[in-house]
């Protein structure tokens, strides 16, 4: 199981093989790099280590940027814990840190703090103040400070960036199947259940209203989805609506989940749902009776998908 900690608490007794990046989504492209890191570390008796940053650099340096990330920090940790890394180092990204010179970053953080003996990095990786240093500089640092640099090829980097882009496009267009295929797992939403207006219960379809505090988390296209969640020790299936509830003239976007054969109180509890498929767009119905009829059809469609 991966050890998650800060740079200052790293046990310097263990030399490391390191890769550096934000790894948003921890998708199948990232997995290839991480598997390479883990295998290389084992072969050289090093500790496999990911150095990542939070907040995302764009959240600090471009505060007006409308950044949409595939994972919250907790979700990223949850996914990385399953991969087989030895260490996940999360370093706070600040404006002060962004001004650190390339020399100071490599000497003080990679070598002195994290005892890097091998760095696996992309051919186009840039680092240091104003991102002025490149892989050739890193190789030179390695020669001077006794660590090896392994370059990830342009082809591998292209595959990683393309799949990240495709995941975001797929999610914003409602193509959850494509997004999940590139992620290598079901896209997840994690938040706290808050009280809603009670309309779902009135229609005999009670819902858990999911509030996601991380405003940077990418929410898929509005519509109705098939989902599952681990509640207690059971896997519970359901359907989720993302949207504005136009039938009742809703004005704010909500995420509402109706679980099948489940009616326990989830208020103020942490809930994580995995999205399996998308059923339809959100519609405005002429009446609540029409909406209730559609919800029954959605449930049948969802159960058909779950049982196939």
């Amino acid at each position: 199981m991966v050890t998650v900690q800060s740079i200052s608490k790293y046990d310097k007794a263990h030399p490391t093989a390191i890769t550096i990046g934000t790894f948003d989504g921890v998708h199948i492209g990232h997995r290839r790099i991480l598997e390479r890191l883990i295998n290389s570390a084992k072969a050289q008796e090093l500790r496999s280590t990911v150095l990542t940053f939070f907040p995302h650099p764009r959240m600090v340096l471009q505060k007006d940027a409308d950044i949409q990330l595939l994972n919250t920090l907790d979700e990223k940790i949850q996914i990385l814990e399953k991969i087989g890394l030895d260490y996940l180092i999360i370093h706070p990204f600040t404006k002060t840190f962004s001004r650190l010179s390339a020399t100071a970053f490599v000497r003080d953080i990679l070598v002195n703090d994290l005892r890097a003996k091998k760095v696996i990095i992309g051919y186009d990786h840039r680092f240091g103040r104003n991102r002025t240093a490149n892989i050739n500089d890193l190789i030179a640092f390695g020669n001077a400070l006794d660590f090896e640099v392994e370059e990830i090829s342009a082809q591998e980097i292209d595959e990683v960036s393309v799949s990240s882009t495709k995941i975001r496009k797929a999610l914003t267009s409602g193509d959850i199947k494509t997004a999940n295929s590139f992620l290598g797992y079901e896209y997840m939403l994690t938040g706290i259940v808050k009280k809603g207006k009670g309309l779902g219960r009135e229609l005999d379809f009670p819902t858990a209203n999911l509030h996601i505090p991380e405003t940077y988390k990418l929410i898929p296209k509005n519509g109705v989805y098939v989902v599952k969640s681990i509640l207690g020790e059971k896997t519970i299936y359901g359907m989720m609506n993302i949207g504005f509830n136009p039938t009742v003239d809703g004005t704010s976007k909500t995420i509402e989940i109706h679980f099948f054969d489940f009616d326990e109180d989830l208020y103020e509890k942490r809930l994580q749902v995995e999205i399996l498929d998308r059923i339809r767009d959100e519609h405005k119905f002429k009446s609540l009776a029409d909406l209730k009829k559609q919800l029954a059809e959605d449930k049948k469609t969802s159960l058909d998908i779950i049982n196939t």
Side-chain angles (χ1 to χ4, degrees):
M1 186 173 178
V2 66
T3 300
V4 183
Q5 60 186 201
S6 63
I7 287 174
S8 61
K9 292 183 178 178
Y10 179 71
D11 181 355
K12 296 180 183 180
H14 304 297
T16 59
I18 291 182
T19 192
I20 306 161
T22 55
F23 294 99
D24 185 37
V26 198
H27 54 62
I28 56 174
H30 294 140
R31 305 289 179 96
R32 287 196 290 271
I33 295 169
L34 295 172
E35 285 169 8
R36 187 159 150 186
L37 172 73
I38 291 165
N39 292 335
S40 182
K42 285 179 179 175
Q44 296 179 244
E45 297 184 345
L46 302 171
R47 299 296 174 97
S48 56
T49 303
V50 166
L51 173 59
T52 192
F53 308 101
F54 190 82
H56 190 286
R58 277 181 54 202
M59 295 165 69
V60 175
L61 302 177
Q62 305 170 31
K63 288 197 173 181
D64 59 340
D66 185 22
I67 190 165
Q68 296 280 275
L69 299 182
L70 300 173
N71 299 137
T72 65
L73 181 60
D74 285 344
E75 289 169 351
K76 184 190 295 185
I77 292 170
Q78 178 184 334
I79 297 162
L80 285 170
E81 280 184 330
K82 299 175 182 177
I83 287 177
L85 290 166
D86 292 317
Y87 289 96
L88 171 62
I89 307 294
I90 302 169
H91 190 65
F93 192 91
T94 62
K95 286 189 175 179
T96 300
F97 176 75
S98 74
R99 298 187 187 106
L100 197 67
S101 70
T103 301
F105 173 70
V106 174
R107 180 194 62 216
D108 298 342
I109 292 179
L110 293 188
V111 175
N112 292 342
D113 289 336
L114 298 177
R115 289 203 60 202
K117 287 297 180 183
K118 185 167 192 174
V119 180
I120 299 178
I121 210 73
Y123 77 99
D124 59 349
H125 183 76
R126 304 191 73 85
F127 61 99
R129 186 171 185 172
N130 297 323
R131 302 181 74 245
T132 53
N134 58 30
I135 191 160
N136 292 325
D137 297 305
L138 189 61
I139 291 169
F141 282 126
N143 292 334
L145 297 171
D146 190 30
F147 64 85
E148 177 189 354
V149 177
E150 183 175 328
E151 180 180 332
I152 302 167
S153 70
Q155 181 181 354
E156 288 173 281
I157 291 294
D158 287 344
E159 287 175 0
V160 171
S161 62
V162 165
S163 56
S164 283
T165 302
K166 283 186 176 180
I167 292 164
R168 290 186 177 87
K169 286 183 177 178
L171 290 169
T172 54
S173 66
D175 185 359
I176 193 71
K177 287 286 194 182
T178 294
N180 288 348
S181 71
F182 278 101
L183 286 167
Y185 59 89
E186 279 87 21
Y187 191 67
M188 65 186 75
L189 298 176
T190 311
I192 304 297
V193 177
K194 298 292 185 180
K195 276 193 177 293
K197 295 179 179 178
L199 176 63
R201 190 167 293 278
E202 184 181 326
L203 295 171
D204 296 323
F205 284 90
T207 60
N209 295 271
L210 190 67
H211 170 69
I212 299 175
E214 294 87 354
T215 56
Y216 60 82
K217 170 73 177 184
L218 191 154
I219 307 301
K221 182 181 179 180
N222 290 0
V224 180
Y225 295 83
V226 185
V227 299
K228 72 176 181 181
S229 188
I230 306 298
L231 299 174
E233 296 181 354
K234 292 183 179 179
T235 298
I236 306 294
Y237 292 89
M239 56 190 189
M240 173 177 71
N241 184 80
I242 300 174
F244 290 87
N245 295 308
T247 304
V248 293
D249 300 319
T251 56
S252 59
K253 190 169 186 173
T254 60
I255 302 171
E256 298 175 283
I257 303 106
H258 169 72
F259 289 112
F260 307 140
D261 303 315
F262 181 87
D263 195 26
E264 294 178 21
D265 186 0
L266 294 173
Y267 290 136
E268 298 303 325
K269 291 184 179 177
R270 182 181 181 273
L271 178 67
Q272 183 173 92
V273 293
E274 298 176 15
I275 308 176
L276 309 180
D277 208 344
R278 188 173 192 271
I279 301 174
R280 62 173 175 85
D281 289 337
E282 185 179 46
H283 299 301
K284 182 171 184 175
F285 296 93
K286 291 181 180 179
S287 67
L288 290 180
D290 287 345
L291 173 57
K292 185 174 180 178
K293 182 180 178 182
Q294 181 61 57
L295 291 174
E297 291 179 11
D298 292 341
K299 180 176 180 178
K300 183 179 183 304
T301 303
S302 298
L303 290 172
D304 287 344
I305 291 170
I306 292 161
N307 293 323
T308 54

